[in-house]
C-alpha cells in the first residue's frame, strides 16, 4: 500500500482549510449565541401576550381596524399608551436594536458586519415565532408577507434614526414620531421627548461600554424612557421661560 505524504494528503489539505477558517467559524458561533440573548433584551420592553391564542375556542380581540390586540405591561403600554400589537412590538424592539447596532458598528471592521447580520437575523426569527405562537399565522406565505413588511420598516428605521443621530434631537424626535407613533397628531410631545432622551442616554451608556461587555450577550438596558421625565420637564420650563422673556 502506497503511503501519501502528509503535505499532499487530501485530509491534510482539509485540516489546513479548517484551521484557516476556525476563527471565522468560532466568531459565527459566538455571535449567534450572543445576539440571540441581545435580541431577547431588545424584545423585552415591548413584550406582550395574547392568552386567547392558547384556546382554540376563544376569539382573539381586535381593534376597529381588525388588528389583533394582546396584553402588555410596562412603560411603553401603560404610560406611553401604545396598544400591544405586533407592529408596536416591532417598533419598540427596533428602537433597542438600533441602539445596539450603533454600538456594534464600533466593533473592529472585520467583526461588525457579522454581528449586525446575526442581530438582524435573530430579530426576524423572533418576529416569525411571535406570529406563529401569539397570532396563529400558520401559513408560510402569509408570514413571509408580514416579515417582508417588517424588514421594510426596519430599513426605514435605520435610515431615519441615523439621520436623527447625526442632525440632532429635533430630527430624531420626528423620526420616532413617524415610526413609533405612526405620525399621529395626538401624540404626547413630552413623552416623545422622553423616548428621545432615553435613546441618547442608552447610546451613551453603550458608547462607554467595552466591546466585551456588549459581545458577551448580557447587556441590559437601564430602566425606561420614564426616567427622563424630570429632565424633559426642566428643559421645557427653561424653554417657556426664555420664550416669555423674549
Amino acid at each position: 500500500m502506497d503511503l501519501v505524504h502528509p503535505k499532499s494528503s487530501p485530509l491534510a489539505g482539509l485540516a489546513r482549510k479548517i484551521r484557516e477558517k476556525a476563527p471565522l467559524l468560532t466568531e459565527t458561533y459566538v455571535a449567534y449565541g450572543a445576539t440571540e440573548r441581545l435580541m431577547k433584551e431588545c424584545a423585552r420592553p415591548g413584550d406582550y401576550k395574547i392568552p386567547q391564542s392558547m384556546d382554540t375556542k376563544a376569539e382573539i380581540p381586535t381593534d376597529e381596524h381588525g388588528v389583533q390586540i394582546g396584553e402588555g405591561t410596562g412603560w411603553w403600554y401603560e404610560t406611553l399608551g401604545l396598544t400591544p400589537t405586533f407592529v408596536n412590538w416591532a417598533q419598540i424592539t427596533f428602537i433597542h436594536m438600533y441602539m445596539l447596532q450603533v454600538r456594534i458598528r464600533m466593533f473592529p471592521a472585520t467583526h461588525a458586519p457579522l454581528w449586525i447580520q446575526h442581530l438582524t437575523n435573530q430579530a426576524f426569527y423572533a418576529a416569525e415565532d411571535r406570529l406563529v405562537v401569539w397570532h396563529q399565522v400558520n401559513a408560510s406565505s402569509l408570514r413571509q408577507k408580514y416579515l417582508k413588511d417588517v424588514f421594510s420598516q426596519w430599513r426605514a428605521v435605520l435610515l431615519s434614526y441615523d439621520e436623527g443621530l447625526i442632525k440632532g434631537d429635533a430630527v430624531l424626535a420626528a423620526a420616532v414620531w413617524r415610526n413609533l407613533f405612526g405620525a399621529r397628531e395626538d401624540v404626547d410631545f413630552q413623552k416623545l421627548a422622553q423616548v428621545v432622551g432615553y435613546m441618547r442616554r442608552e447610546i451613551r451608556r453603550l458608547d462607554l461600554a467595552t466591546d466585551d461587555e456588549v459581545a458577551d450577550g448580557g447587556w441590559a438596558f437601564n430602566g425606561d424612557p420614564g426616567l427622563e421625565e424630570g429632565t424633559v420637564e426642566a428643559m421645557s420650563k427653561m424653554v417657556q421661560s426664555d420664550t416669555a422673556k423674549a
Side-chain angles (χ1 to χ4, degrees):
M1 180 178 179
D2 294 332
L3 295 177
V4 180
H5 192 279
K7 289 186 178 180
S8 62
S9 168
L11 290 177
L14 177 60
R16 184 173 62 255
K17 290 180 180 179
I18 290 175
R19 283 196 299 273
E20 291 171 353
K21 292 183 178 294
L24 179 60
L25 293 172
T26 302
E27 177 87 6
T28 298
Y29 178 79
V30 171
Y32 181 91
T35 54
E36 183 178 32
R37 295 190 295 277
L38 290 171
M39 181 57 212
K40 288 179 180 178
E41 174 63 11
C42 290
R44 177 186 56 78
D47 190 30
Y48 66 90
K49 294 177 174 58
I50 304 179
Q52 295 85 350
S53 66
M54 300 292 101
D55 184 351
T56 56
K57 297 180 180 179
E59 184 176 346
I60 296 177
T62 59
D63 64 13
E64 64 273 20
H65 303 293
V67 176
Q68 294 180 340
I69 301 173
E71 298 177 5
T73 59
W75 187 88
W76 300 88
Y77 297 131
E78 296 176 309
T79 302
L80 188 59
L82 295 177
T83 303
T85 65
F86 177 77
V87 169
N88 285 337
W89 168 83
Q91 288 297 333
I92 296 167
T93 300
F94 286 164
I95 285 175
H96 295 84
M97 281 179 62
Y98 175 76
M99 294 189 290
L100 268 176
Q101 180 157 316
V102 169
R103 180 60 182 82
I104 291 173
R105 290 172 186 168
M106 297 167 61
F107 282 11
T110 53
H111 298 254
L114 177 68
W115 282 76
I116 289 172
Q117 186 59 57
H118 274 295
L119 184 64
T120 303
N121 290 346
Q122 294 293 351
F124 287 92
Y125 299 153
E128 185 168 20
D129 183 67
R130 182 164 292 273
L131 287 171
V132 173
V133 173
W134 297 116
H135 294 274
Q136 300 178 343
V137 181
N138 297 314
S140 177
S141 58
L142 185 56
R143 285 202 308 276
Q144 293 308 311
K145 179 181 181 299
Y146 276 113
L147 293 174
K148 184 178 180 180
D149 290 343
V150 169
F151 182 74
S152 296
Q153 292 170 24
W154 173 234
R155 298 300 300 173
V157 160
L158 284 174
L159 292 172
S160 60
Y161 289 175
D162 273 348
E163 182 183 24
L165 200 62
I166 294 169
K167 294 185 177 180
D169 287 353
V171 177
L172 182 56
V176 173
W177 176 60
R178 291 193 305 272
N179 290 294
L180 181 63
F181 295 98
R184 288 191 349 238
E185 294 184 0
D186 63 344
V187 66
D188 184 329
F189 288 101
Q190 291 283 330
K191 290 185 174 60
L192 173 58
Q194 290 173 31
V195 174
V196 172
Y198 170 70
M199 292 176 70
R200 291 287 186 186
R201 184 188 79 214
E202 290 303 297
I203 288 173
R204 176 60 176 165
R205 284 185 64 232
L206 283 160
D207 183 48
L208 295 174
T210 65
D211 286 355
D212 287 344
E213 287 176 316
V214 178
D216 71 1
W219 183 263
F221 294 101
N222 183 24
D224 56 50
L227 295 178
E228 300 298 308
E229 183 177 3
T231 302
V232 170
E233 287 183 354
M235 292 180 64
S236 179
K237 289 178 181 178
M238 287 176 61
V239 171
Q240 290 175 2
S241 176
D242 291 343
T243 302
K245 291 177 181 178

